[in-house]
Amino acid sequence: MSAAYATFGLAPAMRAGEVLADGDHRLHRDYVDFVVDGQPLLHRLSDLDAVSPLASDIPPAIFTAQVRALLLQAEAPLPGGRYVLYGCPECADLACGAVTAVIEPAGPAGEDVLWRDFAWQTGAHADPERDGYPGLGPFRFRGAEYRAVLGALLDGAPRPPRSRVLLIDPHTAGLARHAAALRTIGIGADVTHDAHDVPADELRAYGAVAFGPAAGQEQRGAVRGALARAGLDVPCVDALAPLVPVLVAQIEHALDRSPRAQRRLTGLTASGGAADVEVASACRVRLTTHRLDRLRRTRSQEVLDAVLEPGRHRIPLRAGTPRGEAYVVARTSGGVLVTAMTR
């Protein structure tokens, strides 16, 4: 094993939820990801759809127990000194599969921390030779840095907040269906006709604000002014799409708190019957078109599900550029971008 040290950090991350045209859905999860040598560890795991055990929606006592376990202040939860680093975002059941690793003290006095023998595990015992991740680790962290980063989560540092959005439109009934869709995937959603007099402390509860089609410029400006006076950098979504799957994707993008330098999906445009997708590092990308037909029904079509290498990719859209309102949504395991299709 190399004596070289890896750096250890944490960063906010999310598993983007999704509402499908057939009514099925995938849960939205906010969590803290592990950052090793400046790169999210999850990005090294074949674009795995998973979350760390440091998620915002678990009870505080369990969150604290997870942190203490990673600090080696409790016995390993799995045989062989193994700890769960990433698990199923829907149920967290080990039977669905999890990424585990041996975490142990290192160095003459055990002052450092070593993560080794990463493996995909679906039962009580792991088989690193069969289900391991060749070339991943081992990672040796300086103990002081490692304990300071994780210990901050126990010393009053804020946990990742649960995502919540404020929907504003004078015709609140029109947003009720959208709010229900967001709540279904785990995003808190409140609807109001006017947020002009909402106190700053209440505005702090929201990770994004979205305006319905009837919200005028004066109202939008008043809300932005209230956010600015409260010192809040809250993304605002101005043009909510009338299609639920697209609206959910717009909100997901606005709620993304991950550092921009660590995002893999970085650009999306669509025109002339093709979409241009930009990725910063190799990752699996799903590209879906959504449109309203003449009966105002949502029509969705998946046009790509593939691993893309870093760079810009031009993807033909199978149906070309349809008439009427249409959108393209690009997704990775941890991010989403939306664009309207133009001719």
Side-chain angles (χ1 to χ4, degrees), residues 13 15-16 57 154 246 275 281 323 336:
R15 188 267 191 142
D57 53 354
L154 302 177
V246 180
S281 61
R323 296 179 180 178
V336 57

Side-chain angles (χ1 to χ4, degrees), residues 148-199:
V149 170
L150 284 170
L153 296 176
L154 302 177
D155 297 334
R159 291 177 53 183
R162 296 194 66 172
S163 287
R164 194 167 193 86
V165 62
L166 180 62
L167 306 176
I168 303 173
D169 193 278
H171 304 151
T172 55
L175 293 179
R177 184 167 66 102
H178 304 320
L182 291 167
R183 294 175 190 134
T184 296
I185 65 171
I187 296 175
D190 295 323
V191 178
T192 182
H193 69 281
D194 185 3
H196 180 69
D197 295 322
V198 176

Side-chain angles (χ1 to χ4, degrees), residues 28 39 42 53 61-62 66 72 75 92 100 219 232 265 271 292 302 317 332 340:
H28 171 100
Q39 180 183 11
L42 187 61
I62 297 178
Q66 298 283 12
L72 302 179
E75 290 188 9
T100 67
Q219 185 177 39
L232 302 176
L265 186 59
S271 62
L292 287 176
E302 187 174 276
L317 303 177
T332 64

Side-chain angles (χ1 to χ4, degrees), residues 10-342:
L10 300 173
M14 74 174 187
R15 188 267 191 142
E18 184 176 7
V19 173
L20 304 177
D22 61 5
D24 198 5
H25 67 275
R26 291 155 37 104
L27 291 177
H28 171 100
R29 302 290 304 281
D30 295 293
Y31 65 98
V32 175
D33 199 5
F34 309 111
V35 179
V36 178
D37 286 337
Q39 180 183 11
L41 182 61
L42 187 61
H43 290 189
R44 308 185 191 206
L45 298 172
S46 303
D47 208 54
L48 186 68
D49 182 19
V51 299
S52 84
L54 305 180
S56 65
D57 53 354
I58 63 175
I62 297 178
F63 185 91
T64 297
Q66 298 283 12
V67 175
R68 293 194 182 283
L70 293 170
L71 286 168
L72 302 179
Q73 296 176 0
E75 290 188 9
L78 297 171
R82 302 191 76 84
Y83 295 76
V84 173
L85 299 181
Y86 296 103
C88 173
E90 297 287 340
C91 66
D93 192 329
L94 183 62
C96 289
V99 176
T100 67
V102 175
I103 301 180
E104 60 188 10
E111 70 277 11
D112 296 329
V113 178
L114 184 71
W115 287 17
R116 63 173 176 85
D117 295 339
F118 294 83
W120 178 252
Q121 187 168 345
T122 56
H125 298 276
D127 187 343
E129 291 189 6
R130 183 190 65 192
D131 301 318
Y133 289 90
L136 183 64
F139 299 117
R140 180 172 177 172
F141 305 114
R142 288 182 171 83
E145 176 189 58
Y146 181 88
R147 287 185 282 274
V149 170
L150 284 170
L153 296 176
L154 302 177
D155 297 334
R159 291 177 53 183
R162 296 194 66 172
S163 287
R164 194 167 193 86
V165 62
L166 180 62
L167 306 176
I168 303 173
D169 193 278
H171 304 151
T172 55
L175 293 179
R177 184 167 66 102
H178 304 320
L182 291 167
R183 294 175 190 134
T184 296
I185 65 171
I187 296 175
D190 295 323
V191 178
T192 182
H193 69 281
D194 185 3
H196 180 69
D197 295 322
V198 176
D201 286 344
E202 294 186 22
L203 289 175
R204 294 181 195 279
Y206 299 102
V209 172
F211 299 102
Q217 292 301 319
E218 182 178 349
Q219 185 177 39
R220 298 172 191 230
V223 172
R224 283 188 167 87
L227 293 171
R229 288 191 296 276
L232 302 176
D233 183 18
V234 176
C236 294
V237 182
D238 277 305
L240 283 174
L243 300 85
V244 169
V246 180
L247 176 143
V248 168
Q250 290 177 308
I251 297 299
E252 289 281 10
H253 174 66
L255 290 172
D256 191 350
R257 299 182 181 89
S258 62
R260 292 187 178 276
Q262 294 176 2
R263 298 182 189 181
R264 290 186 284 184
L265 186 59
T266 57
L268 174 66
T269 58
S271 62
D276 290 295
V277 182
E278 294 183 31
V279 295
S281 61
C283 59
R284 177 187 175 192
V285 176
R286 289 190 297 122
L287 205 65
T288 309
T289 60
H290 302 274
R291 65 179 179 86
L292 287 176
D293 65 15
R294 294 186 179 182
L295 296 178
R296 306 295 292 175
R297 296 173 299 188
T298 300
R299 299 297 187 185
S300 302
Q301 183 180 35
E302 187 174 276
V303 296
L304 178 74
D305 186 350
V307 175
L308 299 182
E309 295 299 318
R312 186 182 182 93
H313 305 266
R314 189 161 182 82
I315 311 298
L317 303 177
R318 296 173 188 169
T321 305
R323 296 179 180 178
E325 201 162 4
Y327 300 84
V328 179
V329 176
R331 289 180 174 275
T332 64
S333 59
V336 57
L337 291 177
V338 183
T339 187
M341 296 174 64
T342 60

